[in-house]
């Protein structure tokens, strides 16, 4: 089944490892077969992987984009997951981490990235809460990520 992707004007995107930029009017791509595609909003630079959840995301990103060296990133990914599991007692967070591992093990890297984005948002709220001591973190984004299953 073809996949239609709309690209915003000037937006960077990656298709099968090739970095591209949409023209002034944007682009509409129709992928007729299986391809590795990422839009600019999904791309993370290594320097931006500065929290535990972002490091997990970045490692999945590398596995998704680098088919040849995918196996070398997997032990790093598992270690990051284990470290995060040890650092939390929240059931929803642990469940989210397990879903991410299941998706990676099944080769569903884009889905794992999407779930990991919910984890990054949660982590951001926790860090913000710790700094401000305001309302507790919102688990609804993690619960929503589970609803997609």
């Amino acid at each position: 089944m073809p996949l239609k992707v709309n690209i915003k004007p000037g937006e960077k995107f990656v298709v099968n490892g090739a970095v591209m930029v949409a023209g002034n009017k944007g682009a509409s791509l129709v992928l007729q077969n299986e391809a590795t595609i990422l839009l600019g909003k999904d791309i993370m630079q290594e320097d931006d992987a500065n929290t535990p959840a972002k490091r997990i995301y970045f490692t999945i990103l590398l596995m998704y984009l680098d088919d040849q060296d995918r196996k070398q990133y997997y032990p790093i990914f598992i270690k990051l997951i284990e470290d995060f599991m040890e650092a939390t007692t929240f059931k929803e967070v642990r469940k989210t981490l397990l879903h991410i591992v299941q998706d990676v093990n099944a080769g569903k890297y884009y889905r794992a990235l999407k779930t990991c984005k919910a984890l990054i948002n949660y982590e951001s709220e926790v860090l913000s809460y710790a700094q401000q001591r305001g309302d507790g973190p919102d688990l609804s984004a993690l619960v929503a990520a589970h609803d997609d299953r």
Side-chain angles (χ1 to χ4, degrees):
M1 183 168 138
L3 172 67
K4 183 177 180 180
V5 180
N6 294 315
I7 314 293
K8 297 176 185 171
E11 182 177 15
K12 287 185 181 181
F13 60 101
V14 178
V15 178
N16 289 343
V19 178
M20 302 179 203
V21 180
N24 294 338
K25 295 183 181 181
S28 181
L29 303 174
V30 178
L31 302 170
Q32 295 291 335
N33 60 337
E34 188 95 10
T36 301
I37 185 165
L38 276 178
L39 300 178
K41 66 181 180 171
D42 298 323
I43 298 169
M44 179 184 286
Q45 299 298 316
E46 186 173 10
D47 291 344
D48 295 329
N50 55 10
T51 67
K54 288 179 181 180
R55 283 190 279 279
I56 291 169
Y57 183 92
F58 186 74
T59 306
I60 298 167
L61 184 70
L62 293 174
M63 288 189 284
Y64 182 55
L65 294 175
D66 190 358
D67 187 41
Q68 285 184 327
D69 293 327
R70 185 173 289 154
K71 289 182 181 179
Q72 90 179 36
Y73 302 118
Y74 189 78
I76 298 165
F77 164 74
I78 290 299
K79 175 69 172 130
L80 292 168
I81 291 288
E82 289 171 349
D83 290 348
F84 207 121
M85 283 282 223
E86 288 178 19
T88 187
T89 57
F90 289 112
K91 178 183 170 187
E92 289 301 324
V93 174
R94 290 171 154 269
K95 190 174 178 182
T96 300
L97 290 165
L98 291 175
H99 284 307
I100 291 169
V101 171
Q102 288 172 342
D103 287 341
V104 166
N105 288 340
K108 298 178 180 178
Y109 299 101
Y110 189 81
R111 185 170 164 175
L113 288 170
K114 183 178 172 185
T115 303
C116 199
K117 274 193 169 189
L119 184 65
I120 289 169
N121 291 338
Y122 168 78
E123 179 186 61
S124 175
E125 284 191 32
V126 169
L127 294 173
S128 176
Y129 169 73
Q131 290 174 350
Q132 298 173 1
R133 301 280 185 201
D135 292 333
D138 182 8
L139 292 170
S140 63
L142 293 180
V143 173
H146 301 246
D147 293 341
D148 291 342
R149 301 184 175 278

